[in-house]
Amino acid sequence: MLVKEKALYTKLEICDILTTGNELTIKRMIPYVGTIRGNQHRTIPEKVSKKKSYPLPRDIIARTMAKMNPDYFSTILEIINYPEDKVVAEAINAIGWMVFYHQKLATAKNYQTVIQSFERYHDNELMKWKLIICLSAFNQSEAFLKQLDFQNPVVQAEIERSLSLINKRKSKVVY
């Protein structure tokens, strides 16, 4: 229905219903990730984001997944190993968004899964850019991000933005 629907408010209602779904709902949504409309990033933008928080995923399915119950996060995280890059690219956005707003998900295991994807996409600058944004949700990524160096000024600026978000979050932690 979401693919065929033209009315914005109807689409929003469908997404709201989907956010109440479970692991089976997520698995049924996977084939549609990165396929509805053309709002997804296909290239690195010319400027770094000015957002002071985590950017909402542009893909409608990834956005819907990101707003689902964090208890189903592991099912969403599994998508990072999906064979289609366009699906993984949008799932990375959902993963980062969920971790950023549910810090209990920023575990060492989840962090390692994201880092392994960085290695998988060592020759894909768009995917590395998306992963850098995703890593802004993990405090433990600070050292990893500091050792990165990119020729692309937008990617390099995104690293600085990610480090800034991590430092901002860490400064708010009360011991």
Side-chain angles (χ1 to χ4, degrees), residues 11-152:
K11 282 184 172 189
L12 293 174
E13 286 300 318
I14 292 168
C15 290
D16 283 346
I17 295 297
L18 289 171
T19 62
T20 65
N22 58 22
E23 293 163 334
L24 181 59
T25 308
I26 294 166
K27 289 179 180 181
R28 288 187 175 165
M29 291 167 67
I30 293 170
Y32 299 99
V33 174
T35 64
I36 301 175
R37 296 179 45 214
N39 197 32
Q40 302 85 359
H41 282 109
R42 304 285 185 223
T43 60
I44 297 171
E46 294 181 18
K47 292 190 240 178
V48 72
S49 172
K50 301 281 188 213
K51 262 185 99 55
K52 294 183 182 191
S53 61
Y54 201 90
L56 188 64
R58 294 168 61 135
D59 179 74
I60 195 165
I61 298 296
R63 181 182 311 142
T64 303
M65 286 180 177
K67 293 181 178 181
M68 294 178 87
N69 187 326
D71 291 345
Y72 305 124
F73 178 75
S74 62
T75 305
I76 296 170
L77 186 63
E78 288 173 11
I79 302 169
I80 208 163
N81 295 315
Y82 202 75
E84 290 181 53
D85 287 357
K86 72 176 181 180
V87 173
V88 175
E90 302 311 317
I92 289 167
N93 296 340
I95 290 163
W97 196 91
M98 282 190 95
V99 173
F100 191 89
Y101 290 105
H102 304 280
Q103 279 293 291
K104 68 180 182 182
L105 300 174
T107 65
K109 181 181 174 191
N110 293 340
Y111 170 71
Q112 283 304 315
T113 301
V114 174
I115 290 295
Q116 288 168 354
S117 292
F118 207 94
E119 294 166 13
R120 174 181 171 189
Y121 292 106
H122 68 277
D123 61 345
N124 185 326
E125 200 164 76
L126 176 66
M127 294 295 265
K128 289 192 285 191
W129 171 73
K130 285 182 169 260
L131 287 162
I132 288 165
I133 295 170
C134 182
L135 288 171
S136 73
F138 293 88
N139 286 353
Q140 60 268 56
S141 68
E142 185 175 15
F144 179 81
L145 289 169
K146 283 182 177 179
Q147 57 96 23
L148 296 177
D149 186 31
F150 283 84
Q151 297 299 317
N152 184 320

Side-chain angles (χ1 to χ4, degrees), residues 145-169:
L145 289 169
K146 283 182 177 179
Q147 57 96 23
L148 296 177
D149 186 31
F150 283 84
Q151 297 299 317
N152 184 320
V154 174
V155 177
Q156 195 61 42
E158 193 60 59
I159 292 168
E160 297 305 318
R161 181 181 166 279
S162 292
L163 288 167
S164 173
L165 289 171
I166 291 167
N167 289 326
K168 181 177 158 187
R169 188 173 46 250

